[in-house]
Amino acid sequence: MPPSAGGHALALVGSGILLSNLSLGPVCDRFGARRLIILSFFVVSVLFFIWPHCSVESIDALAFLYGYLVSLISSLPIIILADAYGEIGSEYILVLNGITNIIKLPGYLLGPYIAGLVIEWAGGSYNYAANCSGLTTLIGTLMLLCIPSPEKQLQQLSEIRKSEKFQDS
């Protein structure tokens, strides 16, 4: 792939991010933040599998879609927390979001090094690294499906607090 194609694809990632930021509210209202983040993670995992096999022409569509979805993925957690905890935990929402980002930190720090080692091991091919990224993103998405929604967790927490108050009195 010529360097200009890479630059063009990178510009389309930015365009996808811009469109995502402009359309997040209506899209989120229509589909729901939790459903949208799960769908975004799933599609991104598929994009990782497809990426090494793209032609110069198809990489543009993939780059735009990737930018759009990654922007959603980075923006939606705080919306999900705000919807779930509302006024009850409003002062803690940014703390919860910070904890979420700290949990992702090892992946951010080690991911590029691991991918570089895999690419070197594969003789310069990005296929294995992209497939590993897709697989781990897919596993994370499946794990996300197993976690109760924040609304359900808040409801369970409220029930526990009520039973504790009942037992104390």
Side-chain angles (χ1 to χ4, degrees):
M1 179 181 313
S4 61
H8 189 255
L10 189 57
L12 286 170
V13 168
S15 299
I17 290 170
L18 177 65
L19 182 63
S20 174
N21 290 333
L22 295 174
S23 66
L24 177 62
V27 171
C28 190
D29 290 343
R30 177 151 176 96
F31 296 106
R34 188 161 189 267
R35 272 189 241 126
L36 193 56
I37 198 168
I38 290 170
L39 176 65
S40 297
F41 272 123
F42 178 74
V43 174
V44 164
S45 69
V46 171
L47 293 179
F48 280 130
F49 287 114
I50 294 171
W51 166 65
H53 311 289
C54 284
S55 64
V56 173
E57 295 80 24
S58 61
I59 198 85
D60 290 345
L62 186 138
F64 181 82
L65 186 58
Y66 179 79
Y68 187 86
L69 295 172
V70 167
S71 180
L72 288 179
I73 289 169
S74 64
S75 302
L76 286 172
I78 200 152
I79 293 170
I80 292 169
L81 290 170
D83 286 347
Y85 296 102
E87 292 183 25
I88 294 172
S90 61
E91 66 267 17
Y92 303 112
I93 289 174
L94 292 177
V95 172
L96 291 171
N97 193 51
I99 290 169
T100 303
N101 286 329
I102 288 170
I103 291 169
K104 295 185 286 185
L105 184 64
Y108 291 149
L109 293 176
L110 298 176
Y113 296 108
I114 293 169
L117 290 172
V118 170
I119 292 166
E120 269 185 33
W121 173 78
S125 172
Y126 287 83
N127 290 352
Y128 291 112
N131 289 336
C132 287
S133 296
L135 183 63
T136 56
T137 304
L138 184 60
I139 290 169
T141 304
L142 295 174
M143 290 172 66
L144 191 59
L145 286 170
C146 297
I147 298 172
S149 70
E151 292 85 4
K152 181 86 169 164
Q153 292 175 32
L154 184 61
Q155 181 184 9
Q156 291 169 348
L157 182 62
S158 297
E159 290 171 7
I160 290 169
R161 285 186 179 165
K162 285 179 188 175
S163 69
E164 287 175 352
K165 285 182 183 178
F166 180 72
Q167 289 174 355
D168 289 341
S169 46

